[in-house]
Amino acid sequence: VGTTITLGLAAMARGLADRTGLVTALPHFRDLPLPEPAQFVIGGHDIRQTTFAASADEFRQNSGVFGAEWIDACRDELAAASDRVRPAPQLGLGSAVLRLANWNEPKPARSVRQAIDLIAADLAAFVAAQSIDHLIVLNVASTEPVFRLGPIHKEWDVLEPALADAGGETLPSSAFFALAAIGAGHTYINFTPSLGASFPACWELAQTTGALHAGKDGKTGETLMKTVLAPMFAYRNLKVMSWVGHNIFGNRDGLVLDDPINKASKVETKDRVITEILGYKPSSLVTIEYLPDMGDWKTAWDHIHFQGFLGSKMTLQFTWQGCDSLLAAPLAIDLARLADLEKRRGGKGPMRHLACFFKSPEGVDENDFFKQFDRLVDHVASEHQP
Amino acid sequence: VGTTITLGLAAMARGLADRTGLVTALPHFRDLPLPEPAQFVIGGHDIRQTTFAASADEFRQNSGVFGAEWIDACRDELAAASDRVRPAPQLGLGSAVLRLANWNEPKPARSVRQAIDLIAADLAAFVAAQSIDHLIVLNVASTEPVFRLGPIHKEWDVLEPALADAGGETLPSSAFFALAAIGAGHTYINFTPSLGASFPACWELAQTTGALHAGKDGKTGETLMKTVLAPMFAYRNLKVMSWVGHNIFGNRDGLVLDDPINKASKVETKDRVITEILGYKPSSLVTIEYLPDMGDWKTAWDHIHFQGFLGSKMTLQFTWQGCDSLLAAPLAIDLARLADLEKRRGGKGPMRHLACFFKSPEGVDENDFFKQFDRLVDHVASEHQP
Amino acid sequence: VGTTITLGLAAMARGLADRTGLVTALPHFRDLPLPEPAQFVIGGHDIRQTTFAASADEFRQNSGVFGAEWIDACRDELAAASDRVRPAPQLGLGSAVLRLANWNEPKPARSVRQAIDLIAADLAAFVAAQSIDHLIVLNVASTEPVFRLGPIHKEWDVLEPALADAGGETLPSSAFFALAAIGAGHTYINFTPSLGASFPACWELAQTTGALHAGKDGKTGETLMKTVLAPMFAYRNLKVMSWVGHNIFGNRDGLVLDDPINKASKVETKDRVITEILGYKPSSLVTIEYLPDMGDWKTAWDHIHFQGFLGSKMTLQFTWQGCDSLLAAPLAIDLARLADLEKRRGGKGPMRHLACFFKSPEGVDENDFFKQFDRLVDHVASEHQP
Amino acid sequence: VGTTITLGLAAMARGLADRTGLVTALPHFRDLPLPEPAQFVIGGHDIRQTTFAASADEFRQNSGVFGAEWIDACRDELAAASDRVRPAPQLGLGSAVLRLANWNEPKPARSVRQAIDLIAADLAAFVAAQSIDHLIVLNVASTEPVFRLGPIHKEWDVLEPALADAGGETLPSSAFFALAAIGAGHTYINFTPSLGASFPACWELAQTTGALHAGKDGKTGETLMKTVLAPMFAYRNLKVMSWVGHNIFGNRDGLVLDDPINKASKVETKDRVITEILGYKPSSLVTIEYLPDMGDWKTAWDHIHFQGFLGSKMTLQFTWQGCDSLLAAPLAIDLARLADLEKRRGGKGPMRHLACFFKSPEGVDENDFFKQFDRLVDHVASEHQP
């Protein structure tokens, strides 16, 4: 996703690519002072040492998307962005991800506190070097194993002192970045189902620093369909008896999800939305499986068995064949643009109006995609004159 | 559909069937003074002499839906309703439908005026005999060929005098029923794509008589899906390049639609909604084909080819396997219940708030299913105390 | 399946049902002295005390297949067959099946030897009471957990003495029936993936007694498709990169398969055929999931990703919606008819020519459905004059 | 297809591409003296002046197949082949094709005789210039309208004298190439549903000149599936009630097929095979529709409704997503290789053993793909030592 965001911003800035796929390019958001593609400066952290150009070439070859021409045209921007990527601390990473790591941090962090400080130092250096107005930390890393919260995660005053001696069992890697960003007042957006900023102590910290945050888990494909179709069944009073969703895909994210521990957190979020929209729990089943030959293409097959009038049983099936990174990247750019708008308008804390972008929108009970979208439109319209 | 409505009302009144499939059974409509199943008295017109019980048996055997037990339990209600069905005038019917006709009217109508008067007399007799409070004429007949309107259909003062000498070329059969009902102040609802009340002179007549009316073409399956999915593509700024929909089904309605002239009016309405929602016209294709072995089951396969970020091409396919009459019947009952509510509240003329039930909602530009549903909910809520 | 076989034989004997679905009704088998439906006498063993009529009614209501008329017409035959069903020993059953058991054996078997003897006594009594010419024991019980063979299962002389003290850990229930049948020279056919007669000591016993046997695991739906499509890819030199098959169904067999231990044996056999036909192992995935609302209907979705010329990647998907028992029952009847033919011709031991009926044909390497069918046709033709 | 054949032969000759998709690369054909990719010399006729390199680039961009690298590596071969393409006579072309023509022949042919002579002269010049051992004329042009044969097409002695004054109403363009090739003893292969050599007078001519020929209509996708699946239903005695096939695609061939006259010949051949394999005619429906956004990708959705045991109704659906040219090109190369083998072995006339490559195999009643393949394997094996 990081590669596609970087290439996409460069290709749009050069006028090669149009804005199809960007929600913020819709008429609803016209005339808002949103940042333009050329205004973004990309940096990042990674556990694999590679370049955006190499990733883009690999992606193109495996998945048959975007021409070699665009990669060639944007080689300068890709190289510059690659130079701004720094090695991520390996503390707090799951074993499935660590197996893929090939880039050692110069001074390995030994505690959560050290990891946060190292990240915060990188962020500060980036802001200074690039004269960044508004730093947005976006989590597009591989999914972490499910992390269960405990009493220690409730209050910042309790958690903060414990970090100096804490390791990966206290907080996962994604939370280090969230705390580093939010602690310094930067914006944090979690595009994955990992923990990130999703715990009370972190929200409390955001209240203190005034940082914006949003999450979690970008709603790109099958779950988008679920939050679109479930309301249809609900409003027609058709009773969903079972909803089965099988997902296959082949990118690196899939390789990590193939680990059962990591997969659990993804399945949990994909399965929940139907129950919340329908108001009852049908039989359900969600699988996510890694098949290397699929490249970045994700195919979801969903089978919905529903009961209609007079006990009749009917079926809806759909097959979604989407290229994951190309669905995710424009949404990530949208989130950054809308977060920037919110910042200019003086916003703070959780951005609940961004719910339509997420599978598990934080602080929001509404999972109906269309109600979520209406909320976004209302929000940006009503705050036009804050 | 008529058979299923009759059986369904009886089965619900007897407590055999629950209300799954009825929109008006949703919490949104709780506490409204809607008529109960046992309060309905069914009558009708037909061109085939048969009984509801025979139709229900045939339907059950061909399509494998509802048990023989329910038909047995409701034989009295089915027989009583069958006795209240009268032969329809054959004037103004298309040749595809006439081929199926086996019930001659005692005094064949020779002009539109005669046909209207005969129908009106039947309606008046039914109201008197059954002590009907509120007569609702519902068109669930087979689809007519496309009927092109001319200047004569604009004003009632111009049209009315011409009817005495006019034949089927001036107005199709569905309009006779609309004019007979609306002329007497009864409610008229058009569940088909046929003309019905959908011409200015008829609306003008409704203004005069205060009759309620709504239409047209019940949104039961594939088109419902289109008006649910097209907004998703629109709000994600994904560009639909082509939308192909192939429909196969095997009931008598299908036999009539297999006639190319009748089919045209159905395809027209199914194809239009996508363009209206998206705001541009993708390549599109709609077929409806009759396959006798399918019984009342309709299978729709839709293939949506769309473009996402950076020129990527992706695909969504769905297969809808629904039993047509069992999807239509509860919506027809909903329409009757909501029309009755409107009548009690003093409503007159077009019921625009019922748009979510129709493929071609009259007097309404909005085709997005969810916006249509919101409008319905708002309407019944706001007018609770008229 | 037992219910459907019983009802189907009765309905065919009465001339109510035609022979669609029976392989042995094809022209290839015309003029062979195959037993007619009216000549079969059905008995059996079960762990649940019920009647065929009750099962047929339940099946009809849950799955919407065959009319109540046929069940009514055949009530005598169904009742007579129900009276010939005896309680099965519970020794050697898996826990998933035991949870469903509600019929206790009068004298519980304490050892494998006792169980075999009890079954053998039942079989002998049945043969005597009904004057049976040729007894065929058909396993259509729920799938057992995978059973791993050891040295003790190699030779009958070693195994036989051990049975007196052995329990379910030595042999599973399905093997008791196989040994009881084969030990007495009856025919044994295994329509399930359970062990049955599939171990060397049992084959050896069949050589001694001259019993016919065949297995295992009836090839009814998705696996049939696999053994039809895989040869197509092979003969077009299209490289299958991955083959994913997801199966959902809702009958009692599904409930048992939902137990992971039982499921493993099913998945194993479904997955193997592709590799054997292609000659290489693509990425593959098979799931079988129980969803009660599906009734006896099994829906399989298969996604085949293959590579063609010049590295191109293409896809075939199929959805199979079949009613499991109605696919299995005619094949079971075919197997009995063909086994009877073989018996009349003096055949003994494994019936390799029946491979086209099985997912895991014993003693046969060929999985290509069409080559298997050719073998069957050749076999019955060539032995016409033994 | 011509472009893909040319690029594919070059890429294989250079060792860039492997032989996936080539039937003749299967073990069954190992050790046969088949010509190698580097031994082919490509020429041709066209009505559009373009280059293989330009076509390959356009194809790659529209359809996302094969990398720009391969086109770059093979630019010399593509350019050389382009130089060997000559303008085709426009006589006898349908209007749908003529609309695409942009390359005028230097001396327009005014009669069938003139057109044949011009083509024959081109072929002779090509043979001489390139020292061709064995010239194979392969028809991969767009599909012609259905051409109905009359008495004049029965005997060469009757037809031949009439050609001097005849125009396109007497024979279509494809037949000119067939007569030019066969008249000179060259091999003719018809990969399209057009007439080509498929009339008695032309077969008679082939007998005289000893020319090899084969046809017609390459079996690449949906029809291949039909000839694979129909035998399965037949051998399981499952009764196919209806078979619906909808095809959408977007290449230039599709544009021509979008003309109803041209489409008819394609639909005819696609629909016939099912009836011939099953031995009865189910309800059936075939559509082929042109959607420009699909590029060279063809998606076929087939819905097969079949009846099993005890009147049960079941469904198989499949979706085939294949890249048409990449499925056709290797088969065309196979045909050329196998025709060359046949020539070396002294074969003459119709090559019936190539039936498995064609939708409408000439002189062969067998449509079962597997029986056709067996015949091919038997043929090449049996003639190994002629």
Side-chain angles (χ1 to χ4, degrees), chain D residues 100-112:
Chain D
L100 300 173
N102 70 358
W103 197 8
N104 291 327
E105 17 168 3
K107 274 189 298 178
R110 303 269 174 232
S111 69
V112 174

PDB file of all heavy atoms in Angstrom, chain D residues 100-112:
ATOM      1  N   LEU D 100     -13.817  -1.584 -40.623  1.00  0.00           N
ATOM      2  CA  LEU D 100     -12.518  -1.536 -39.925  1.00  0.00           C
ATOM      3  C   LEU D 100     -11.342  -1.447 -40.895  1.00  0.00           C
ATOM      4  O   LEU D 100     -10.216  -1.205 -40.481  1.00  0.00           O
ATOM      5  CB  LEU D 100     -12.348  -2.788 -39.052  1.00  0.00           C
ATOM      6  CG  LEU D 100     -13.395  -3.014 -37.966  1.00  0.00           C
ATOM      7  CD1 LEU D 100     -13.195  -4.369 -37.301  1.00  0.00           C
ATOM      8  CD2 LEU D 100     -13.325  -1.904 -36.933  1.00  0.00           C
ATOM      9  N   ALA D 101     -11.599  -1.689 -42.190  1.00  0.00           N
ATOM     10  CA  ALA D 101     -10.499  -1.780 -43.166  1.00  0.00           C
ATOM     11  C   ALA D 101      -9.858  -0.415 -43.402  1.00  0.00           C
ATOM     12  O   ALA D 101     -10.549   0.590 -43.504  1.00  0.00           O
ATOM     13  CB  ALA D 101     -11.027  -2.345 -44.480  1.00  0.00           C
ATOM     14  N   ASN D 102      -8.534  -0.386 -43.449  1.00  0.00           N
ATOM     15  CA  ASN D 102      -7.842   0.873 -43.758  1.00  0.00           C
ATOM     16  C   ASN D 102      -6.631   0.639 -44.655  1.00  0.00           C
ATOM     17  O   ASN D 102      -5.701   1.433 -44.691  1.00  0.00           O
ATOM     18  CB  ASN D 102      -7.419   1.579 -42.463  1.00  0.00           C
ATOM     19  CG  ASN D 102      -6.311   0.827 -41.761  1.00  0.00           C
ATOM     20  OD1 ASN D 102      -5.888  -0.242 -42.209  1.00  0.00           O
ATOM     21  ND2 ASN D 102      -5.827   1.376 -40.667  1.00  0.00           N
ATOM     22  N   TRP D 103      -6.626  -0.489 -45.342  1.00  0.00           N
ATOM     23  CA  TRP D 103      -5.448  -0.816 -46.169  1.00  0.00           C
ATOM     24  C   TRP D 103      -5.968  -1.271 -47.539  1.00  0.00           C
ATOM     25  O   TRP D 103      -6.505  -2.387 -47.656  1.00  0.00           O
ATOM     26  CB  TRP D 103      -4.650  -1.940 -45.498  1.00  0.00           C
ATOM     27  CG  TRP D 103      -3.241  -2.091 -46.003  1.00  0.00           C
ATOM     28  CD1 TRP D 103      -2.567  -1.270 -46.853  1.00  0.00           C
ATOM     29  CD2 TRP D 103      -2.330  -3.149 -45.680  1.00  0.00           C
ATOM     30  NE1 TRP D 103      -1.292  -1.735 -47.073  1.00  0.00           N
ATOM     31  CE2 TRP D 103      -1.119  -2.886 -46.356  1.00  0.00           C
ATOM     32  CE3 TRP D 103      -2.401  -4.284 -44.885  1.00  0.00           C
ATOM     33  CZ2 TRP D 103      -0.007  -3.733 -46.263  1.00  0.00           C
ATOM     34  CZ3 TRP D 103      -1.292  -5.098 -44.800  1.00  0.00           C
ATOM     35  CH2 TRP D 103      -0.101  -4.836 -45.477  1.00  0.00           C
ATOM     36  N   ASN D 104      -5.815  -0.439 -48.530  1.00  0.00           N
ATOM     37  CA  ASN D 104      -6.357  -0.799 -49.839  1.00  0.00           C
ATOM     38  C   ASN D 104      -5.398  -1.699 -50.602  1.00  0.00           C
ATOM     39  O   ASN D 104      -4.178  -1.497 -50.579  1.00  0.00           O
ATOM     40  CB  ASN D 104      -6.638   0.463 -50.649  1.00  0.00           C
ATOM     41  CG  ASN D 104      -7.805   1.221 -50.043  1.00  0.00           C
ATOM     42  OD1 ASN D 104      -8.726   0.611 -49.503  1.00  0.00           O
ATOM     43  ND2 ASN D 104      -7.740   2.545 -50.094  1.00  0.00           N
ATOM     44  N   GLU D 105      -5.943  -2.659 -51.258  1.00  0.00           N
ATOM     45  CA  GLU D 105      -5.164  -3.526 -52.133  1.00  0.00           C
ATOM     46  C   GLU D 105      -4.738  -2.690 -53.361  1.00  0.00           C
ATOM     47  O   GLU D 105      -5.509  -1.856 -53.834  1.00  0.00           O
ATOM     48  CB  GLU D 105      -6.004  -4.723 -52.573  1.00  0.00           C
ATOM     49  CG  GLU D 105      -7.496  -4.512 -52.354  1.00  0.00           C
ATOM     50  CD  GLU D 105      -8.363  -5.520 -53.024  1.00  0.00           C
ATOM     51  OE1 GLU D 105      -7.836  -6.478 -53.646  1.00  0.00           O
ATOM     52  OE2 GLU D 105      -9.579  -5.345 -52.964  1.00  0.00           O
ATOM     53  N   PRO D 106      -3.545  -2.929 -53.880  1.00  0.00           N
ATOM     54  CA  PRO D 106      -3.068  -2.118 -55.017  1.00  0.00           C
ATOM     55  C   PRO D 106      -3.987  -2.279 -56.244  1.00  0.00           C
ATOM     56  O   PRO D 106      -4.408  -1.293 -56.838  1.00  0.00           O
ATOM     57  CB  PRO D 106      -1.666  -2.662 -55.304  1.00  0.00           C
ATOM     58  CG  PRO D 106      -1.387  -3.745 -54.321  1.00  0.00           C
ATOM     59  CD  PRO D 106      -2.547  -3.905 -53.416  1.00  0.00           C
ATOM     60  N   LYS D 107      -4.301  -3.526 -56.596  1.00  0.00           N
ATOM     61  CA  LYS D 107      -5.193  -3.761 -57.737  1.00  0.00           C
ATOM     62  C   LYS D 107      -6.428  -4.471 -57.193  1.00  0.00           C
ATOM     63  O   LYS D 107      -6.413  -5.686 -57.012  1.00  0.00           O
ATOM     64  CB  LYS D 107      -4.517  -4.680 -58.768  1.00  0.00           C
ATOM     65  CG  LYS D 107      -3.631  -3.948 -59.775  1.00  0.00           C
ATOM     66  CD  LYS D 107      -3.195  -4.908 -60.885  1.00  0.00           C
ATOM     67  CE  LYS D 107      -2.356  -6.069 -60.321  1.00  0.00           C
ATOM     68  NZ  LYS D 107      -1.943  -7.061 -61.320  1.00  0.00           N
ATOM     69  N   PRO D 108      -7.520  -3.773 -56.906  1.00  0.00           N
ATOM     70  CA  PRO D 108      -8.678  -4.438 -56.297  1.00  0.00           C
ATOM     71  C   PRO D 108      -9.204  -5.587 -57.158  1.00  0.00           C
ATOM     72  O   PRO D 108      -9.368  -5.430 -58.383  1.00  0.00           O
ATOM     73  CB  PRO D 108      -9.722  -3.315 -56.194  1.00  0.00           C
ATOM     74  CG  PRO D 108      -8.936  -2.059 -56.221  1.00  0.00           C
ATOM     75  CD  PRO D 108      -7.743  -2.329 -57.077  1.00  0.00           C
ATOM     76  N   ALA D 109      -9.435  -6.704 -56.511  1.00  0.00           N
ATOM     77  CA  ALA D 109      -9.987  -7.867 -57.214  1.00  0.00           C
ATOM     78  C   ALA D 109     -11.449  -7.592 -57.546  1.00  0.00           C
ATOM     79  O   ALA D 109     -12.201  -7.103 -56.705  1.00  0.00           O
ATOM     80  CB  ALA D 109      -9.874  -9.109 -56.329  1.00  0.00           C
ATOM     81  N   ARG D 110     -11.794  -7.895 -58.783  1.00  0.00           N
ATOM     82  CA  ARG D 110     -13.170  -7.620 -59.240  1.00  0.00           C
ATOM     83  C   ARG D 110     -14.021  -8.896 -59.260  1.00  0.00           C
ATOM     84  O   ARG D 110     -15.229  -8.826 -59.383  1.00  0.00           O
ATOM     85  CB  ARG D 110     -13.160  -7.034 -60.661  1.00  0.00           C
ATOM     86  CG  ARG D 110     -12.345  -5.782 -60.805  1.00  0.00           C
ATOM     87  CD  ARG D 110     -13.215  -4.538 -60.563  1.00  0.00           C
ATOM     88  NE  ARG D 110     -12.391  -3.332 -60.554  1.00  0.00           N
ATOM     89  CZ  ARG D 110     -12.402  -2.433 -59.583  1.00  0.00           C
ATOM     90  NH1 ARG D 110     -13.200  -2.595 -58.539  1.00  0.00           N
ATOM     91  NH2 ARG D 110     -11.640  -1.369 -59.631  1.00  0.00           N
ATOM     92  N   SER D 111     -13.366 -10.049 -59.180  1.00  0.00           N
ATOM     93  CA  SER D 111     -14.103 -11.321 -59.204  1.00  0.00           C
ATOM     94  C   SER D 111     -13.443 -12.280 -58.232  1.00  0.00           C
ATOM     95  O   SER D 111     -12.305 -12.066 -57.798  1.00  0.00           O
ATOM     96  CB  SER D 111     -14.077 -11.941 -60.607  1.00  0.00           C
ATOM     97  OG  SER D 111     -12.756 -12.384 -60.905  1.00  0.00           O
ATOM     98  N   VAL D 112     -14.165 -13.318 -57.894  1.00  0.00           N
ATOM     99  CA  VAL D 112     -13.596 -14.324 -57.005  1.00  0.00           C
ATOM    100  C   VAL D 112     -12.320 -14.893 -57.616  1.00  0.00           C
ATOM    101  O   VAL D 112     -11.306 -15.071 -56.936  1.00  0.00           O
ATOM    102  CB  VAL D 112     -14.634 -15.447 -56.743  1.00  0.00           C
ATOM    103  CG1 VAL D 112     -14.015 -16.574 -55.931  1.00  0.00           C
ATOM    104  CG2 VAL D 112     -15.861 -14.882 -56.025  1.00  0.00           C
TER     105      VAL D 112
END
